[in-house]
Every structure is written in C-alpha cells, then in structure tokens.
Amino acid sequence: MNRKLLDPFAPEYPEAIEACLDDEYAVKCAFSHHGSLLATARSDGQCYIWDMDTLNVMRRLEHGETALTGISWSRSGRYILTFDEAGICIMWDLKTGERRAQVEFDSAIVSARIHPRNSAQFIVCPARETPCLITIHGEVGPPRIDPIRIAVDNVDLKSKAAAGTCCCFGKKGNHVFFGTSKGAIHAVHVASQSVVCSIKLSSSTVNTISRNPRGTDIVANSSDRILRVCEVVLPDSAHTLTRPLVDVEPSIKVVSKITDSVNRVSWLQAVFSSSGDYIVAAVDHKAEHNMYVWDKATSSLVKMLTGPNELLEDCAVHPLRPIYASISTFGIIYLWTRVPQQNWNAFAPGFRELEENIDYVEPEDEFDRRVTTSAGMVVDCAEYRARRERRASDSSGEDDKDVFIDVTEDDPLFSDSDSDSEDEGFILPVVVEFDADALPPAVPPTADMQSTVEDDHAMDVDQGHVVEES
C-alpha cells in the first residue's frame, strides 16, 4: 500500500463490512504492529494467527484447555503473549512455534501487555494480585517476577484491593499505566517500579486503557459509561521537546469526556484510530453489534457502524489503514473497511470524467489521409501522427532523466526513528499442515507386487534397448 497515492481528504474510518472470518470460539482479537496479521484468542484455549492478505489461518497455538482472556503482540510481530482464566501466561516465538516463557499465577489474568521496545519484558495484571513485571533472561533459568505496588502500603499484595483491572504501556515503554477498581489511573516508572503520578477519575472501575499511537494521550473506559481522554505529561513524552526535562512535572489531566447522552449505553472497549484523531468505542449491548466513532477534538459523534443483531465481544483497529475488526458472540470476525473511490484523473491527466453522456462531434479531417499543418504544409496523416508521438516520447524521456528517487529516507508513518526493537523485518514463516487421518491407508505389498519389483530390478539398459539379464 502506498499511502501517498491515497486521497488525503478521505475519512479515516470504515463504512461497511467487507469480509467475514468464521472462528467459532473467538472472544478477543488484536492486530500486529504492522497490521499484516490478526490474532484471535479463543474460548477453547487456542490462539489463531490470521493473514490479512489471504484471510486464512497461518498458525495455531495450543495454549491449554482454559478460555483465553486476551493477547498481546510484540513490536516486531515475532512474539505474541497469550493469557487465560487459570492464571497461565505464555509468550510464543512465532519463528520457531515454541514457547519462549511461561508464568503461572493464582488467579485469572485480566490484562497483560508486552513492552513496546523490549520483547523480553511484559506486564501482567492478575485479578486478585498486584501487577507484576516479568523479565526473560534468555533460555537460562525461569523468568524474573517483580511485583509492582500501585496501592497503599498497608494493602496485602495478594488481595483484590492491590490488583489492577487493566494496563497499557507508554509510547517508549518507560512508563506503564494501570487502572484500578476504585476508578484511579496510576503511572508507574518501569525501571524504578514506583508510582510517578496518579489521578482519580471516578468511583467506578476502570475497564480498559488505550494509548494514542500518534501522541501521548490515553483514553479510559469506566463502568460509569463515560469515556475520558486524558493528557499525559511525562519526562519521555513529546511535551519535553519545548522545555528541559527538569521543568516537567508528571501529571495526568482529563481534557474531555465522551458519553452517549441519548441511549446511555455502556462501552465494552475504547481505542484510538490509526491516525489518533478519532476514538472507536464498542457498545456493550445484548442484541447490538455497533461501534461508535467519536472525534477526539470536538467529542462529537461522526459515524456509527451498525452490524448484525449479535452481541459484540471485542474490537480492534488496524494500525495503518481504516480497517476495524469486531467479534460477535458466535465467533464470527467482521472486517470493516472503506470502499476506495476510483480517481482516474490521478493516472491520466488528460482524462475527463463525465457526469452524463455527451454526443461526440467528429472533426472534419479525422479520417483524412493528408492534413494541413499550422505552417501550411500538406503532409501524410500517418507520418504526421507518428512524428508527433515521437516528439512527445522524447520530451517525456527528458523529464524522466531529471526525476530523483530517494530510497534512503524513511516514511515516518511506517518507521520510527526512535525504535530500539530488533527483528523489525520479521515475516511469519509458512507452515504446511495436513491431516494424517485424511490420507489413504497404506497398502501392504502382496506376492505379485514383490515379484514385479524383482523383475524391474533385473532389467538393464544396453545401447538403448531393454534386455533381460541372464
């Protein structure tokens, strides 16, 4: 996809359902960092990796028998994190198809995220324990587990009061945000594992937290049916470009609130669009499959995507294109996108679009064998046209020589100069799977077949003629 050839004024949100993927037990979904793969967490304990080009399953991961509660991608797309209701968290290496690390907790895992810059670290939020930072030390020894205290000092770390309901890393991974059941958001420094700043949104539980991919703000979804967009000021944020680091005071401030004042619906999920200008909110309703697209700047509703009469389980946004993925209660994955408008003027400058049919007026000398030029000379029509086409091709050739193509400059949309991650060019290898039970059964050799094989070995080729050996 060449984004420079697309219409820059086209809305960055889809309009209708383009394709459906049948995944019977899918409950959660997430796009990879480049958007080429879609992972689905299933209620039967498996994880499917879908290819967005062919819309086929490329990999199946056997996590266990307990239902998965979520998934998380690494920045390179090589590693994926799966976690379930039994408290088991597994990081997979898609290059080898094996488990890279496995951590077990005493309660169900409600949220987990891989570090955006270091795939050897990830955050886990158990339901009845304090959040933990997991660090993988290669293939030697078990992973290191460091508890992160986000509650007051007199709270037991093995209690529900010390647990986090959701988590989300910052852009560079220096800070991580935790939501609690008391309606607070805590920003924790990863290196020191200390709380930098906090904010009390309400007395309701914070269900989800999502970070803006093009900025430093976050959106929080609470149980009080209000979406809150918060401006985050931290030492590693973009606000430090205009003033020194010592003058930056960490803070989280609510800048806008989004709610459906008419229907008063509750939200299942709230994420930013690929450009960061819109907020996509999935409706938590028994018989509706709707997603609302809100303008972040004005907090106004710009689009409502209406799907089939099925319960909405989860939704995800493509990181580069206006493509949304939603999962229904029947395990069907709906892919929402826009129908591109064909603009032929961009390819043929002399092409003129017609709103209605017009009558073509034939010129008087269109089919004449000889034509009169502007200088008054009478020349052959075929020769005159060939000379004009040759002159046009020569002028276009001279223009092509002056064109300079820069292949070294990175497009900021597809690359990040601040990236510290490895394996940015990882491509998921293809694994050929076949069902051994579907193959025809092997036929044991008989006496006739054995004699035929012996006769074939007794034949020899001599000067192009097949003869029997004596």
Side-chain angles (χ1 to χ4, degrees), residues 394-414:
D394 294 341
S395 60
S396 62
E398 294 177 358
D399 296 340
D400 294 341
K401 296 179 182 178
D402 298 334
V403 175
F404 174 73
I405 301 177
D406 187 6
V407 295
T408 60
E409 183 180 359
D410 294 335
D411 191 343
L413 179 67
F414 298 98

Side-chain angles (χ1 to χ4, degrees), residues 107-123:
S107 59
I109 300 176
V110 295
S111 180
R113 293 293 181 268
I114 299 180
H115 196 283
R117 307 291 178 175
N118 184 10
S119 60
Q121 288 185 341
F122 57 93
I123 290 289

Side-chain angles (χ1 to χ4, degrees), residues 116-303:
R117 307 291 178 175
N118 184 10
S119 60
Q121 288 185 341
F122 57 93
I123 290 289
V124 179
C125 291
R128 293 179 177 85
E129 300 179 32
T130 186
C132 298
L133 174 64
I134 314 299
T135 305
I136 303 174
H137 299 283
E139 300 179 355
V140 180
R144 187 183 68 192
I145 303 177
D146 298 325
I148 300 177
R149 182 182 290 273
I150 60 176
V152 294
D153 297 336
N154 57 358
V155 176
D156 186 11
L157 297 181
K158 294 292 183 179
S159 62
K160 188 176 181 180
T165 58
C166 54
C167 63
C168 175
F169 272 101
K171 181 178 181 180
K172 297 184 179 180
N174 296 332
H175 296 82
V176 59
F177 304 96
F178 293 99
T180 64
S181 58
K182 297 182 180 180
I185 294 181
H186 304 283
V188 178
H189 191 260
V190 176
S192 62
Q193 300 178 12
S194 59
V195 178
V196 177
C197 58
S198 303
I199 184 174
K200 179 75 172 181
L201 299 180
S202 64
S203 59
S204 304
T205 303
V206 180
N207 297 325
T208 60
I209 298 178
S210 178
R211 177 183 60 87
N212 188 349
R214 308 300 176 198
T216 59
D217 48 347
I218 60 176
V219 57
N221 172 28
S222 303
S223 300
D224 57 357
R225 304 178 181 181
I226 298 177
L227 304 178
R228 294 175 175 86
V229 180
C230 303
E231 181 183 7
V232 180
V233 179
L234 293 173
D236 63 340
S237 63
H239 299 83
T240 61
L241 298 177
T242 58
R243 49 185 174 177
L245 294 177
V246 294
D247 297 339
V248 175
E249 182 179 357
S251 64
I252 303 176
K253 181 176 63 175
V254 178
V255 295
S256 62
K257 297 181 180 180
I258 298 176
T259 181
D260 188 357
S261 58
V262 178
N263 300 324
R264 295 293 299 175
V265 296
S266 58
W267 310 108
L268 181 68
Q269 180 72 276
V271 293
F272 283 95
S273 62
S274 58
S275 62
D277 297 332
Y278 302 97
I279 296 176
V280 184
V283 177
D284 186 9
H285 195 271
K286 295 181 179 179
E288 290 184 357
H289 194 98
N290 300 338
M291 290 186 295
Y292 289 51
V293 182
W294 303 84
D295 190 353
K296 186 191 70 173
T298 62
S299 300
S300 58
L301 181 66
V302 296
K303 185 69 175 180

Side-chain angles (χ1 to χ4, degrees), residues 1 3 6 12 31-36 213-214 273-275 317-323 412-415:
M1 180 195 68
R3 190 178 177 87
L6 299 180
E12 297 187 8
F31 283 100
S32 62
H33 179 71
H34 301 284
S36 59
R214 308 300 176 198
S273 62
S274 58
S275 62
V317 176
H318 195 279
L320 301 177
R321 302 173 58 188
I323 298 178
L413 179 67
F414 298 98
S415 63

